[in-house]
Amino acid sequence: MEHQERTNHPNPSKLKAEMDHSNHNHDDMGHDHHRMMIADFKRRFWISLILTIPILTLSPMIQRMLGVEWVFPGSGYVLFGLSTIVYFYGGWPFLSGLISELKSKSIGMMTLIAVAISAAYFYSSAVILGFEGQTFFWELATLIVVMLVGHWLEMRSILGASKALEALAALMPNEANLVEGSQTRKVKISELNEGDIILIRPGEKVPADGIIVEGESDLNESMLTGESRPVTKTVGDEVIGGAINGNGVVKVQVKGIGEDAYLSKVINMVQAAQKQKSKSQRLADVAAKWLTIIALVLGFGTFFTWLALGETMAFAMERMVTVMVISCPHALGLAVPLVAAISTSISARNGLLIRNRTAFESSRKITTIVFDKTGTLTKGSHEVTRIVSLSSNYDKTELLRYATAVESPSEHHISKGLMRRAKEDKLDIPSVTDFKYTAGVGVSGIVNGKKVQVGGFLLLEQLKKSVAEDIEEGIETKIFTIIDGELIGFITFADEIRESSYGAIKTLQKNNIKVSLLTGDNEIVAKNVADKLGLDDYMAEVLPDQKLDRIKELQAKGEFVAMVGDGVNDAPALAQADVGIAIGSGTDVAAETADIVLMDSNPKDIVNLILFGKATYRKMVQNLVWATGYNVVALPLATGFIPGLMISPAFGAALMSISTIIAAANAQLLKRSMKSEIKN
């Protein structure tokens, strides 16, 4: 029998206040700060662009190109003054970035840009002050303008990738209907406390997580769990803050506060995953760092080479600036992080919470998936089908009463099935003391002064109890009840296979992924499920530590293994697997040992996980290939060593920005790619 002790997750009563405070903090450090930076880049861009027009007009090189001569006394100093404003005001983000990178002893793209524009500015300034040469203030100005617009668009793309978090935070209403006796009054979310009773009217959003204590309704949880259809909820069922109530009126007892709230956990997990760097991101960071070093070396090398070949200082400086500008690793630095942020957000919107980015990206390498049966491949409803008494001292009613009593502290599917049947039969359930749970075996406790033990065949083996062969047969799940050492009877349960399991298993096998079943149920039940679904392998009556050993065995054979379990009694196996996947089923999102948490228990989500992982990896590779390939082609053109193929610093900056925008746009296409995977 597959027992589990579900951790009771406290759910937030003061979520909205905390979310408001949290959002405020996140905005100060994240979204609002990011928006302020976008606005700052936009402002610097427009001012620099306006000043660049007279700079272009007054530049001797541009005038020669146009065949005009617009010179007046002091025009050179006006050109110098305007360019100084553009250099210090428009170029300040890059100059301050240079200082930050030098302080942290980690040179990067800001160093590259700052060196390029500084070389151009100080050389041109020296020419204005009498040094023999040619100014290219116009190239400096256009370079800064192009860099600013590139950063502006890049940052807008990055901000867009995190909007899913704002959408999640916006799910929570501002107020709740607090029940006080026969009256209700509107209160702020921050005023709610654990244990409060709140009233939720038709069409209203659920203001906090909790348990229904009165009423019945259909709730739309699609934005939270990915479940497209409304879910019917009645007394005793849990509700999630942010869900939309249907036509019924329900009263809910608030459970828990603050960070333990479901929605708060989702947001925190998504944020943590977006910040977490995978192997692919670390590789991109290393590549960007080395590209910066190569660009600086190549830039100065180009400068001194042209001087040695007899070219003018102005020409050599122009080539150096072009090399440094065109090799800025913006596209490379953006290639992976933006894809990672987008994939994390989209996954969360579709019921997949990523706690370990490396494991998510590695999901494309899965060769074997090991499923825990109950609640994943099956519905996990466990409805009572038979109650069979084996003792003259206890009839069916007493058997059900004692079994339900000792199971009541547990939140396993078996316990819930017993409670539903006891409620239907209108039984009074006595209390239990000294409750004890043994993973994979069963539960025990004291009921009415008697020691009661409930479990499956493993419990009978431990107690050296035997049953008739005809009792052992059958595909139903059986639990046996033992009172003071006497086997008094058994109760059977039916657990239907999910309709979506059939298609999910076929899809996985079409992708050359073997599917195995590990269950605590008996051999007949396990074989029946495995045969119906066409699984590659199965193991029955497996204890949690045996599941761990099975994972190790598969890995020793060279398999890349994913384990799908409930996150509690499957914790060792989840931790051992290459990719640990915990099923959420409502508010159970804190399976600490899992890499990925499924908010719903639908096996199709496993397929989506692998397809999402593959789509994410493809986009990362595409962006990395584009970013590195662009530099391989563009750098030789920047040096000017190829006859007839020489580009200016401004044109180089334009190419660099276009490369960055292409990488950002390609990352945004991941949304369409992942949506198409869902449809298919």
Side-chain angles (χ1 to χ4, degrees):
M1 186 177 74
E2 296 171 282
H3 267 66
Q4 78 172 33
E5 268 279 64
R6 193 193 67 185
T7 304
N8 290 321
H9 298 292
N11 303 310
S13 57
K14 298 181 179 178
L15 178 60
K16 188 58 181 179
E18 188 154 316
M19 287 295 295
D20 289 342
H21 177 67
S22 175
N23 284 345
H24 180 68
N25 289 339
H26 290 318
D27 286 345
D28 286 345
M29 297 181 291
H31 294 310
D32 276 358
H33 176 64
H34 210 77
R35 288 193 183 93
M36 288 171 62
M37 290 183 67
I38 291 173
D40 183 60
F41 270 103
K42 182 179 179 181
R43 182 169 55 252
R44 290 178 191 273
F45 162 72
W46 283 113
I47 293 175
S48 298
L49 179 62
I50 292 170
L51 294 177
T52 295
I53 295 173
I55 290 174
L56 290 170
T57 305
L58 294 173
S59 294
M61 186 180 296
I62 300 299
Q63 291 182 17
R64 285 196 297 271
M65 290 171 59
L66 297 176
V68 297
E69 188 175 349
W70 297 323
V71 181
F72 55 87
S75 60
Y77 292 105
V78 173
L79 178 61
F80 168 71
L82 294 173
S83 300
T84 298
I85 296 173
V86 172
Y87 172 70
F88 284 104
Y89 178 71
W92 177 248
F94 313 114
L95 297 175
S96 60
L98 164 67
I99 296 171
S100 297
E101 290 182 352
L102 291 178
K103 283 183 178 179
S104 63
K105 298 180 181 179
S106 177
I107 63 171
M109 57 187 74
M110 288 300 186
T111 300
L112 201 56
I113 299 171
V115 170
I117 62 175
S118 296
Y121 174 74
F122 288 110
Y123 173 77
S124 299
S125 299
V127 171
I128 291 293
L129 297 175
F131 183 80
E132 186 176 349
Q134 178 178 292
T135 65
F136 44 95
F137 281 127
W138 71 275
E139 291 176 308
L140 159 72
T142 52
L143 173 57
I144 289 176
V145 166
V146 173
M147 288 291 185
L148 286 172
V149 73
H151 273 69
W152 172 22
L153 294 175
E154 173 186 326
M155 294 176 73
R156 283 182 60 186
S157 297
I158 293 173
L159 180 65
S162 298
K163 286 185 177 178
L165 296 181
E166 297 177 5
L168 287 171
L171 290 176
M172 294 303 297
N174 294 309
E175 296 180 320
N177 303 310
L178 179 64
V179 177
E180 296 177 327
S182 60
Q183 303 294 320
T184 62
R185 66 182 178 92
K186 290 279 187 182
V187 297
K188 293 182 179 179
I189 300 297
S190 59
E191 295 178 30
L192 291 177
N193 294 296
E194 183 174 353
D196 283 347
I197 303 298
I198 53 177
L199 179 71
I200 305 169
R201 298 186 176 93
E204 292 183 340
K205 286 184 178 180
V206 178
D209 295 2
I211 296 177
I212 295 178
V213 293
E214 183 180 317
E216 180 178 320
S217 186
D218 292 335
L219 276 77
N220 184 347
E221 300 176 339
S222 58
M223 279 291 289
L224 302 160
T225 66
E227 173 60 56
S228 58
R229 293 175 298 180
V231 181
T232 301
K233 302 277 187 175
T234 187
V235 175
D237 290 335
E238 295 180 337
V239 295
I240 305 172
I244 301 173
N245 187 26
N247 295 324
V249 177
V250 293
K251 288 183 179 180
V252 173
Q253 183 178 39
V254 175
K255 296 287 290 181
I257 56 175
E259 290 298 319
D260 287 323
Y262 176 82
L263 191 56
S264 182
K265 284 179 180 176
V266 171
I267 291 173
N268 289 338
M269 290 171 75
V270 173
Q271 283 180 324
Q274 286 184 342
K275 292 175 183 177
Q276 186 184 64
K277 290 194 174 183
S278 65
K279 290 181 181 178
S280 301
Q281 288 173 271
R282 289 192 290 270
L283 176 63
D285 289 344
V286 172
K289 178 181 179 180
W290 279 105
L291 182 59
T292 299
I293 295 172
I294 291 170
L296 290 171
V297 172
L298 188 59
F300 285 109
T302 299
F303 173 75
F304 290 113
T305 299
W306 279 118
L307 285 181
L309 292 174
E311 286 292 344
T312 63
M313 177 75 75
F315 180 84
M317 184 69 71
E318 181 183 82
R319 290 302 92 210
M320 180 187 76
V321 171
T322 306
V323 167
M324 290 181 176
V325 167
I326 207 168
S327 59
C328 281
H330 279 65
L332 189 59
L334 185 67
V336 175
L338 186 55
V339 172
I342 291 172
S343 67
T344 305
S345 298
I346 296 175
S347 295
R349 296 284 290 269
N350 287 281
L352 306 175
L353 297 183
I354 300 167
R355 299 182 66 247
N356 184 327
R357 284 219 54 85
T358 297
F360 171 64
E361 291 171 24
S362 297
S363 62
R364 73 186 190 282
K365 298 188 290 186
I366 293 172
T367 59
T368 297
I369 292 185
V370 178
F371 280 94
D372 175 52
K373 176 181 69 69
T374 306
T376 306
L377 295 176
T378 64
K379 293 181 179 179
S381 57
H382 281 92
E383 300 302 327
V384 174
T385 53
R386 289 190 296 155
I387 302 173
V388 180
S389 173
L390 300 176
S391 171
S392 59
N393 297 321
Y394 299 92
D395 59 17
K396 292 182 180 181
T397 300
E398 287 299 295
L399 171 58
L400 178 60
R401 179 180 284 114
Y402 275 98
T404 304
V406 78
E407 282 274 9
S408 59
S410 170
E411 297 222 18
H412 188 266
H413 307 289
I414 292 291
S415 174
K416 292 180 179 179
L418 288 169
M419 292 296 290
R420 283 192 293 270
R421 180 56 182 268
K423 185 177 179 181
E424 288 176 11
D425 293 354
K426 298 180 180 179
L427 297 182
D428 292 326
I429 305 302
S431 60
V432 58
T433 58
D434 296 335
F435 174 81
K436 183 180 179 182
Y437 161 71
T438 303
V441 178
V443 296
S444 64
I446 304 299
V447 179
N448 292 335
K450 301 177 181 180
K451 182 177 181 181
V452 182
Q453 295 168 282
V454 173
F457 286 98
L458 288 175
L459 176 63
L460 294 186
E461 288 180 17
Q462 287 189 4
L463 298 177
K464 298 181 179 179
K465 299 285 184 182
S466 60
V467 293
E469 288 187 13
D470 60 333
I471 293 178
E472 291 186 356
E473 294 176 356
I475 60 172
E476 298 168 310
T477 297
K478 294 182 178 67
I479 64 162
F480 298 91
T481 301
I482 296 147
I483 298 181
D484 290 336
E486 178 189 357
L487 175 60
I488 70 165
F490 63 89
I491 300 174
T492 65
F493 299 81
D495 187 10
E496 293 181 45
I497 296 175
R498 291 177 182 270
E499 288 299 321
S500 56
S501 294
Y502 295 95
I505 298 302
K506 286 182 180 179
T507 302
L508 291 170
Q509 291 174 334
K510 282 181 182 178
N511 283 271
N512 299 316
I513 296 172
K514 294 186 284 291
V515 184
S516 181
L517 174 69
L518 295 185
T519 177
D521 262 331
N522 65 64
E523 174 77 16
I524 297 175
V525 172
K527 186 177 187 304
N528 178 67
V529 172
D531 289 345
K532 283 185 176 179
L533 291 173
L535 304 183
D536 297 285
D537 189 18
Y538 73 91
M539 283 184 65
E541 300 180 25
V542 184
L543 292 172
D545 59 333
Q546 293 173 326
K547 292 183 180 181
L548 172 66
D549 293 336
R550 178 58 174 162
I551 299 297
K552 288 182 178 179
E553 289 172 13
L554 290 169
Q555 291 172 326
K557 294 177 182 177
E559 300 288 342
F560 197 88
V561 184
M563 172 68 193
V564 185
D566 58 26
V568 182
N569 60 6
D570 294 317
L574 287 170
Q576 177 63 37
D578 297 292
V579 180
I581 305 168
I583 55 174
S585 295
T587 57
D588 296 337
V589 296
E592 294 300 327
T593 51
D595 301 307
I596 297 155
V597 178
L598 306 184
M599 288 187 267
D600 198 5
S601 302
N602 193 331
K604 188 177 182 296
D605 290 340
I606 309 293
V607 177
N608 286 340
L609 163 66
I610 295 171
L611 295 176
F612 284 6
K614 288 182 176 180
T616 299
Y617 184 74
R618 282 198 304 270
K619 282 299 174 189
M620 287 182 175
V621 171
Q622 288 171 9
N623 272 1
L624 286 173
V625 170
W626 166 257
T628 54
Y630 152 80
N631 281 287
V632 169
V633 173
L635 275 175
L637 301 178
T639 62
F641 294 138
I642 301 177
L645 295 174
M646 187 179 297
I647 55 180
S648 69
F651 187 70
L655 284 180
M656 184 279 302
S657 294
I658 291 172
S659 173
T660 301
I661 294 169
I662 289 175
N666 188 45
Q668 293 293 338
L669 290 176
L670 179 63
K671 295 179 181 178
R672 182 182 302 174
S673 177
M674 292 174 79
K675 286 179 181 177
S676 67
E677 297 286 10
I678 296 173
K679 291 178 182 177
N680 295 334

